[in-house]
Amino acid sequence: LDPHPFKPVFATCSDDKSVRLWSTTLHRLVSLRRLKNRARCVSWHPKGKLLAVGCLNGLVLVLDMDAGTVNTSFTLDSAVRQVRYSPLGKFLAVGIGKTVKIFDTL
């Protein structure tokens, strides 16, 4: 679960292979995106357009939520436990096992 940096929505993901956006003002689901893999974690980029998704099979997706497309993706060697953007969005931290890998987003 991750709240949007400035819109009244938050993102969730699930083993049902979905990413969902929920409205905090309407108190309901406002967007659903189906994935091919079971998702474990999400993180909004500070600018609010991109959403990083970590998956059980090691896949990391960066979704452009405005366009509804995959901005980028890469696969690591084990299940992704956590994804988190740095405060300015320059880096993406990805937790796998007992390791945190840092990726430059530029």
Side-chain angles (χ1 to χ4, degrees):
L1 175 132
D2 196 34
H4 192 277
F6 48 85
K7 291 181 182 177
V9 296
F10 60 91
T12 63
C13 64
S14 175
D15 275 351
D16 71 358
K17 302 179 182 178
S18 71
V19 172
R20 298 170 191 253
L21 295 185
W22 302 87
S23 170
T24 60
T25 54
L26 300 174
H27 305 286
R28 67 177 180 85
L29 179 70
V30 293
S31 178
L32 170 65
R33 172 148 184 155
R34 294 283 178 200
L35 305 174
K36 294 180 181 177
N37 301 289
R38 294 190 293 172
R40 287 296 187 194
C41 48
V42 291
S43 178
W44 284 105
H45 186 278
K47 291 186 178 179
K49 182 178 177 181
L50 302 176
L51 182 71
V53 182
C55 298
L56 187 63
N57 68 343
L59 180 66
V60 176
L61 297 167
V62 178
L63 306 176
D64 182 325
M65 296 304 286
D66 293 340
T69 59
V70 176
N71 184 279
T72 190
S73 66
F74 55 93
T75 303
L76 301 172
D77 55 359
S78 63
V80 178
R81 295 176 179 242
Q82 185 61 274
V83 290
R84 185 68 54 203
Y85 280 101
S86 63
L88 297 177
K90 181 171 170 37
F91 300 103
L92 177 65
V94 180
I96 57 169
K98 296 180 181 180
T99 303
V100 176
K101 296 188 176 205
I102 308 293
F103 298 93
D104 193 326
T105 61
L106 300 177

